[in-house]
Amino acid sequence: MDAPHQFMTAAGADVVVIGAGMVGVACAYYAARAGLTVTVVDRGGVATGTTGAGEGNILVSDKPPGPELTLARHSVELWRELGDTLGAELIELEHKGGLVVAASPAEHAALRAFAASQRATGVEAYEVPADELPDHEPYLARDLVGGVRYPQDMQVHPMLAAAHLLRAARVRVLTGTTVVGVRRDAAGAVRGVLTDRGLLPTTMVVNAAGVWAGEVAALAGVGLPILPRRGFVLVTEALPPLVRHKVYAAGYVANVGRSSGDLEVSPVVEGTRAGTILIGSTRERVGFDRTIPLPALRRLAAGAVRLFPVLGRVSAIRAYRGFRPYSPDHLPMIGADPRVPGLYHAAGHEGAGIGLAPATGHAVAALLTGRLPDVDLRPFAPERHDVHL
């Protein structure tokens, strides 16, 4: 019997998760743990979209007080649990901490004020005077005026994490399968997911399709204003250990929060277990343009050398791009869609999807099983950007 007929005669699932990136996988994992039967569908493979192009950031350091920081703090706790459950070594979960540095007195003052506001919410943020920066990062430029250390920041290998989390979930996974429609009944409620290989009966759908979440929402008859925001990462040759933390310039936070479509570049430097150094980050809204302009890479390299002069003698061996799912107010869209009973969204995390995935999945699983999420989801309500098709 061919694949389409297998699908047409297969038993339905309690919930179908569309998207096998880190957010979708986390939704599947926590839903399965809550006792639901789950099918994950992706037109590509596991972690082959934005997740596979990410650096694996798990950050509280870049988020101002507010709903996203609350979500991030919960996610840090869940990542620690996942490290114990899955094996931190297997997913390369590193409690390396973050170090944010300032190059001018004005940047330093803004950074200290920002850190103070975070500390008021429970974030661990420790000021580091200029003369103590070499104790934390011996190869840092010597003319920096100070920094803040964030021990709660972590890094994970995103593709390994997604694969191991999905394996632990023990759910049905259909890769290479394109969703072409969402079946609804006369009352408008979800009754199934149509794919290019057949129908998947279900009464609950989680739209975790990342930069394509708007397209998936449109299949269900609703608008979701999520757009791609392109970014690049440079990768150096393998080196002896040089960078201990995730290190970035104080201007990075401002660039994350900007809504401009123009190219924004702020240096972010971190090492990997393989010895390579990852250099980011850029942001720009250019649709799905897959080109990699040389000027952007030059600015990335220059920013990294500004922080770590030793990198001026190091070769970059490759560069890769990714498309972050951009939301107009920079907050993800998480929760039930009141316009379509049975439709849930978990998308729009931009560059924070890896870090925020466990808290997102945990909250969505609570909604799917009629429980109250641990985090207040009202600021993330999908309908706050009601778009009529």
Side-chain angles (χ1 to χ4, degrees), residues 148-191:
V148 175
R149 182 173 62 87
Y150 289 89
Q152 292 166 299
D153 283 357
M154 293 184 281
Q155 184 182 9
V156 72
H157 191 300
M159 298 188 80
L160 288 176
H164 283 286
L165 193 59
L166 196 56
R167 185 175 295 117
R170 299 182 181 275
V171 299
R172 187 184 186 199
V173 182
L174 304 175
T175 55
T177 304
T178 301
V179 173
V180 297
V182 176
R183 178 164 291 180
R184 299 166 64 183
D185 62 20
V190 169
R191 286 296 177 264

Side-chain angles (χ1 to χ4, degrees), residues 79 81-82 102 119 133 142 158 161 179 212 245 260 318:
W79 268 117
E81 292 178 7
L82 290 174
R119 277 194 295 272
L133 285 175
R142 291 298 190 263
V179 173
W212 296 280
H245 303 78
S260 170
R318 68 186 180 96

Side-chain angles (χ1 to χ4, degrees), residues 48-213:
T48 54
T50 302
T51 294
E55 297 172 86
N57 296 332
I58 303 169
L59 305 180
V60 296
S61 57
D62 64 340
K63 296 170 181 64
E68 190 177 25
L69 180 57
T70 301
L71 194 68
R73 291 180 59 208
H74 186 219
S75 231
V76 163
E77 296 172 4
L78 293 173
W79 268 117
R80 288 177 178 144
E81 292 178 7
L82 290 174
D84 293 338
T85 301
L86 303 176
E89 290 295 318
L90 284 178
I91 61 175
E92 296 185 12
L93 179 66
E94 298 183 76
H95 300 260
K96 61 171 57 177
L99 183 64
V100 186
V101 296
S104 71
E107 276 190 353
H108 193 211
L111 174 60
R112 293 177 66 195
F114 184 75
S117 70
Q118 293 175 302
R119 277 194 295 272
T121 71
V123 170
E124 297 175 41
Y126 302 98
E127 292 188 21
V128 182
D131 61 350
E132 295 181 14
L133 285 175
D135 297 337
H136 299 279
E137 290 290 348
Y139 296 97
L140 263 178
R142 291 298 190 263
D143 60 345
L144 297 169
V145 299
V148 175
R149 182 173 62 87
Y150 289 89
Q152 292 166 299
D153 283 357
M154 293 184 281
Q155 184 182 9
V156 72
H157 191 300
M159 298 188 80
L160 288 176
H164 283 286
L165 193 59
L166 196 56
R167 185 175 295 117
R170 299 182 181 275
V171 299
R172 187 184 186 199
V173 182
L174 304 175
T175 55
T177 304
T178 301
V179 173
V180 297
V182 176
R183 178 164 291 180
R184 299 166 64 183
D185 62 20
V190 169
R191 286 296 177 264
V193 172
L194 295 167
T195 78
D196 59 350
R197 297 170 62 190
L199 173 68
L200 301 172
T202 187
T203 57
M204 294 184 290
V205 170
V206 177
N207 174 15
V211 290
W212 296 280

Side-chain angles (χ1 to χ4, degrees), residues 234-239 242 275-277 279 301 305 310-318:
L234 275 175
V235 185
T236 74
E237 61 187 306
L239 302 164
L242 290 179
T276 58
I277 298 215
I279 299 170
V305 172
V310 67
L311 295 179
R313 302 189 298 272
V314 169
S315 297
I317 58 173
R318 68 186 180 96

